Amino acid sequence: MKGEVKKRYSMEERKEFRKLILEKLKKAKKDLSMFQESFSDNKNNGTDDTYFTFKAFDEGSETLSKEQNAQILKHLQKFINSLNTALIRVENKDYGICRITKKLIPKERLMAVPHTTLSIEGKRLIEYRKKLIN
């Protein structure tokens, strides 16, 4: 056992990761819900009876705000999907294995970014390959 490299996380460790992922998923879904609610409530800013110049400025601002809101929504949905996929990996017992190096991702990294599929080494390899291509 002494020089043996650990290939996967134990059931207890996976339970710990699962709990962390579920907490993050709950918060992300709550954030998404609140954001969608405020986004739909904000459609009318009460500028119906204001001057044309203010209205034109407000419409430009509203367009930018809609684009930013769409980006935030897209990001939250992607984050939720990544967390759901991480949960599947926990259940399949292959959670925490780098998809590039096939080595175990350090627990500290998974605690910070529980949906990651890359170790720092794997991430650097991808960046290095991108530099070679470009």
Side-chain angles (χ1 to χ4, degrees):
M1 269 251 182
K2 219 176 184 176
E4 197 174 310
V5 177
K6 190 174 176 180
K7 301 257 185 211
R8 67 180 69 231
Y9 285 104
S10 70
M11 185 185 299
E12 281 304 309
E13 289 168 315
R14 287 195 316 272
K15 283 181 183 178
E16 186 180 348
F17 289 128
R18 185 176 189 280
K19 182 181 175 190
L20 175 66
I21 293 166
L22 287 172
E23 287 169 6
K24 289 201 178 265
L25 193 54
K26 183 178 177 181
K27 184 185 179 320
K29 285 180 177 180
K30 182 180 175 188
D31 290 349
L32 180 65
S33 176
M34 286 187 338
F35 191 78
Q36 286 173 324
E37 205 173 284
S38 70
F39 185 59
S40 64
D41 288 346
N42 246 352
K43 297 233 177 182
N44 181 1
N45 296 329
T47 57
D48 292 338
D49 58 351
T50 57
Y51 290 105
F52 174 78
T53 53
F54 178 77
K55 209 167 180 108
F57 172 76
D58 191 48
E59 285 171 3
S61 172
E62 188 176 314
T63 300
L64 178 61
S65 182
K66 282 181 183 177
E67 289 171 9
Q68 290 170 332
N69 288 343
Q71 287 298 319
I72 292 168
L73 279 172
K74 186 177 176 183
H75 176 75
L76 275 170
Q77 288 166 334
K78 184 178 176 186
F79 182 57
I80 289 169
N81 288 340
S82 296
L83 289 169
N84 281 324
T85 305
L87 276 178
I88 292 168
R89 289 193 308 275
V90 168
E91 299 304 320
N92 291 342
K93 301 178 185 174
D94 59 358
Y95 178 78
I97 300 169
C98 177
R99 63 185 165 90
I100 300 298
T101 66
K102 305 301 180 206
K103 296 177 187 173
L104 214 53
I105 300 169
K107 190 172 185 175
E108 301 78 34
R109 176 157 171 74
L110 291 169
M111 295 303 279
V113 188
H115 58 286
T116 190
T117 59
L118 293 171
S119 63
I120 296 297
E121 181 185 358
K123 194 171 182 169
R124 286 185 180 141
L125 281 170
I126 288 174
E127 289 168 3
Y128 177 74
R129 289 176 188 162
K130 283 181 183 176
K131 284 181 185 177
L132 289 178
I133 293 171
N134 296 330

